[in-house]
């Protein structure tokens, strides 16, 4: 574990410019979608993160030829020779990603069968795959549970269905989309997730030849087609990474410009950021012209000086405040005067990281009660899913162990904002979702190094 640690010398404001690439929560799904085409697909602006490596490996195991394109961050997928992969090979990837569940629909269409290993991911709650399996059964798949995982088949093919999700799960919505596009007949999905990454995935599938209508009130209608072709696509930027760097700028009293960040997909975050007392400016792209290389647009975030304000917020599905935004922002809220309240309504065990912040001098209490007005699935259950943050608190250095991806970045922000030298263990987990984060820290003037 000694090589999986970052020594962080805190107390220096982050200053400078970094760039975010394609959204982690879209890119991996776009890669899976390439399985459905009968011709090659091209995906641009792909970040160099571990989740991409995992999906690239899984595609390779199933006979998809994945090559680097001519542009930095471009991947080309050739699905001409899709084949079965051995259980042992797939199990090599078990525990490193939850993406294998989304291979099911495309593989059932291409091969007639699929296998899902025991699934990993971040330890923030069970994230049951029941929604996925129920959806696949509705399409006509059979599921055989075995010790090594789940074996699926579709002896009579896949057929359109009417389906209502009990909760607008992003993963289950992706599952239905990737399965329904080539299922015979019409599929109607109610209570669907409508996150920007979902809409971008729909755009990709539409480019491939799918017929998908997005109605009001979270209803998506898919007309199955007999075949799809490849796509060429540049994904939306990663709004989670952009917000994480924004929170880091606020917590360290710095000034960070995030190139590639888009206002439209971050409006809810930007409202809270300004309410807390942070400032931002949306910078438009400047096209290249003679003697001027131009510049990509983005958003500049900074701490304007003075005190920050306490706020009350609830996480929710889109267009609400993203659950992945709350951990980085909570570090900044430890520096706000008064009592801030965070009600987590998406994942039931996502506040465990606050213990580490308390060890650094923060004053955060977690509660089982729903401290907010949004109806919450976790009310009257034994989950500590609300937090009260009393501030401002002077943070001091500590040894920290990263429990999951987003909490890991919040630990990193806390170490940067604290006085003294912290040791952050398990930092390689951050590579799952943040491209070149150590190089970006250096670009922003942070004092951090591997021992």
């Amino acid at each position: 574990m000694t090589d999986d640690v970052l020594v962080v010398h805190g107390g220096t404001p982050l200053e400078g410019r970094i760039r975010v690439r394609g959204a982690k929560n879209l890119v991996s799904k776009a890669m899976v979608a390439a399985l459905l085409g009968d011709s090659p697909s091209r995906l641009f602006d792909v970040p160099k993160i571990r989740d991409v490596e995992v999906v690239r490996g899984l595609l390779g195991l199933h006979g998809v030829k994945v090559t680097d394109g001519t542009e930095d961050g471009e991947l080309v997928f050739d699905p001409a020779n899709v084949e079965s992969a051995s259980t042992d090979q797939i199990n090599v990837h078990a525990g490193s990603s939850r993406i294998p569940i989304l291979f099911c629909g495309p593989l059932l269409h291409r091969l007639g069968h699929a296998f899902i290993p025991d699934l990993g991911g971040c330890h923030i709650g069970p994230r049951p795959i029941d929604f996925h399996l129920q959806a696949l059964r509705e399409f006509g798949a059979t599921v055989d549970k075995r010790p090594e995982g789940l074996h699926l088949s579709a002896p009579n093919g896949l057929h359109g269905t009417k389906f209502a999700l009990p909760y607008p799960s992003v993963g289950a919505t992706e599952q239905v989309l990737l399965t329904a596009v080539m299922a015979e007949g019409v599929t109607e999905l109610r209570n669907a997730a409508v996150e920007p990454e979902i809409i971008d995935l729909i755009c990709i599938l539409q480019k491939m030849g799918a017929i998908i209508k997005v109605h009001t009130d979270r209803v998506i209608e898919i007309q199955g087609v007999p075949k799809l072709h490849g796509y060429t696509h540049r994904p939306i930027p990663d709004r989670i990474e952009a917000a994480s760097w924004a929170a880091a700028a606020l917590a360290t009293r710095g000034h960070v410009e995030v190139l590639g960040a888009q206002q439209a997909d971050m409006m809810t975050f930007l409202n809270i950021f300004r309410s807390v007392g942070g400032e931002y400016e949306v910078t438009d792209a400047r096209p290249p012209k003679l003697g001027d290389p131009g510049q990509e647009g983005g958003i500049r975030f900074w701490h304007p000086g003075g005190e920050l304000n306490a706020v009350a917020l609830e996480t929710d599905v889109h267009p609400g405040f993203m659950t992945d935004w709350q951990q980085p922002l909570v570090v900044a809220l430890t520096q706000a005067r008064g009592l801030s309240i965070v009600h987590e309504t998406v994942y039931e065990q996502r506040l465990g990281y606050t213990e580490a912040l308390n060890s650094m001098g923060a004053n955060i209490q977690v509660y089982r009660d729903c401290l907010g007005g949004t109806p919450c699935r976790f009310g009257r259950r034994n989950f500590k899913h609300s937090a009260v943050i009393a501030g401002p608190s002077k943070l001091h250095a500590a040894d920290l162990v990263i429990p999951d991806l987003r909490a890991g970045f919040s630990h990193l922000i806390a170490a940067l904002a604290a006085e003294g030298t912290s040791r952050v263990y398990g930092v390689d987990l951050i590579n799952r979702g943040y491209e070149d984060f150590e190089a970006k820290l250096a670009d922003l003037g942070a004092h951090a190094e591997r021992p």
Side-chain angles (χ1 to χ4, degrees), residues 7-281:
V7 179
V8 180
H9 309 285
T12 301
L14 297 185
E15 304 272 355
R17 174 187 293 164
I18 54 97
R19 180 177 184 269
V20 294
R21 295 221 251 192
K24 165 187 173 288
N25 287 353
L26 178 277
V27 166
S28 52
K29 323 304 164 55
M31 294 172 71
V32 175
L35 266 171
L36 291 163
D38 62 5
S39 58
S41 294
R42 308 180 84 86
L43 187 64
F44 296 92
D45 236 6
V46 178
K48 294 181 175 67
I49 55 175
R50 183 141 334 125
D51 273 19
V52 167
E53 294 173 10
V54 169
V55 182
R56 184 171 182 162
L58 285 168
L59 287 171
L61 290 179
H62 288 95
V64 178
K65 184 181 179 183
V66 185
T67 54
D68 295 316
T70 55
E71 183 180 311
D72 181 41
E74 177 188 354
L75 291 180
V76 181
F77 311 94
D78 185 350
N81 298 306
V82 172
E83 61 187 15
S84 299
S86 76
T87 300
D88 290 341
Q89 285 177 314
I90 298 174
N91 266 322
V92 169
H93 293 269
S96 60
S97 173
R98 290 176 177 263
I99 268 293
I101 185 72
L102 293 178
F103 274 68
C104 292
L107 288 176
L108 287 170
H109 283 304
R110 293 296 303 267
L111 302 174
H113 55 85
F115 168 72
I116 315 170
D118 182 34
L119 297 175
C122 291
H123 301 293
I124 53 177
R127 285 189 179 184
I129 63 170
D130 298 352
F131 293 166
H132 295 262
L133 298 180
Q134 185 181 349
L136 290 163
R137 288 189 180 103
E138 290 279 340
F139 283 107
T142 59
V143 181
D144 182 16
K145 294 184 179 181
R146 299 182 192 174
E148 69 274 15
L150 303 174
H151 290 264
L152 292 89
S153 60
N156 299 311
L158 299 175
H159 301 271
T161 183
K162 288 190 175 182
F163 194 73
L165 292 175
Y167 181 79
S169 157
V170 169
T173 300
E174 292 163 343
Q175 182 72 261
V176 171
L177 288 169
L178 291 166
T179 307
V181 284
M182 289 179 65
E184 184 180 334
V186 177
T187 296
E188 181 185 271
L189 177 63
R190 293 188 172 272
N191 203 26
V194 291
E195 271 67 6
E197 294 81 6
I198 291 286
I199 302 303
D200 210 27
L201 177 60
I202 290 173
C203 288
I204 289 171
L205 294 169
Q206 191 178 50
K207 285 179 176 181
M208 299 177 75
I211 301 172
I212 304 173
K213 300 174 185 176
V214 181
H215 299 296
T216 56
D217 300 326
R218 299 186 176 275
V219 177
I220 299 176
E221 182 183 313
I222 306 104
Q223 170 69 58
V225 296
K227 68 175 208 169
L228 297 171
H229 52 75
Y231 63 81
T232 298
H233 191 74
R234 190 175 297 274
I236 60 172
D238 198 311
R239 61 195 176 116
I240 302 173
E241 184 182 357
S244 298
W245 290 113
L250 197 59
T252 64
R253 304 180 73 87
H255 187 143
V256 175
E257 182 174 12
V258 183
L259 295 177
Q262 288 183 358
Q263 177 185 10
D265 294 338
M266 297 185 67
M267 291 180 71
T268 308
F269 176 84
L270 295 174
N271 288 336
I272 293 293
F273 190 84
R274 184 162 277 166
S275 297
V276 173
E279 287 290 344
Y280 67 87
E281 180 186 18

Side-chain angles (χ1 to χ4, degrees), residues 194-376:
V194 291
E195 271 67 6
E197 294 81 6
I198 291 286
I199 302 303
D200 210 27
L201 177 60
I202 290 173
C203 288
I204 289 171
L205 294 169
Q206 191 178 50
K207 285 179 176 181
M208 299 177 75
I211 301 172
I212 304 173
K213 300 174 185 176
V214 181
H215 299 296
T216 56
D217 300 326
R218 299 186 176 275
V219 177
I220 299 176
E221 182 183 313
I222 306 104
Q223 170 69 58
V225 296
K227 68 175 208 169
L228 297 171
H229 52 75
Y231 63 81
T232 298
H233 191 74
R234 190 175 297 274
I236 60 172
D238 198 311
R239 61 195 176 116
I240 302 173
E241 184 182 357
S244 298
W245 290 113
L250 197 59
T252 64
R253 304 180 73 87
H255 187 143
V256 175
E257 182 174 12
V258 183
L259 295 177
Q262 288 183 358
Q263 177 185 10
D265 294 338
M266 297 185 67
M267 291 180 71
T268 308
F269 176 84
L270 295 174
N271 288 336
I272 293 293
F273 190 84
R274 184 162 277 166
S275 297
V276 173
E279 287 290 344
Y280 67 87
E281 180 186 18
V282 179
T283 56
D284 293 329
R286 193 176 71 246
K289 55 186 178 182
L290 189 63
D292 180 358
Q295 182 173 301
E296 186 174 11
I299 306 177
R300 292 195 301 119
F301 300 94
W302 70 93
H303 189 305
E307 288 191 333
L308 298 177
N309 311 310
V311 296
L313 67 89
E314 292 180 305
T315 66
D316 203 355
V317 294
H318 187 76
F321 191 90
M322 279 189 90
T323 179
D324 289 309
W325 287 337
Q326 64 95 347
Q327 300 99 317
L329 189 66
V330 162
V331 182
L333 291 180
T334 66
Q335 304 307 300
R337 180 161 299 281
L339 295 178
S340 293
I341 298 172
V342 174
H343 180 206
E344 172 60 60
T345 76
V346 179
Y347 291 123
E348 63 269 47
Q349 296 178 25
R350 211 161 206 185
L351 295 175
Y353 71 94
T354 58
E355 292 181 13
L357 299 185
N358 285 339
S359 75
M360 303 177 76
N363 185 357
I364 304 173
Q365 297 288 328
V366 293
Y367 297 90
R368 293 180 176 86
D369 304 291
C370 295
L371 302 182
T374 300
C376 176

Side-chain angles (χ1 to χ4, degrees), residues 396-411:
H396 54 77
D399 286 352
L400 306 170
V401 179
I402 288 176
D404 65 72
L405 173 60
R406 305 302 172 188
F409 204 86
S410 75
H411 285 22

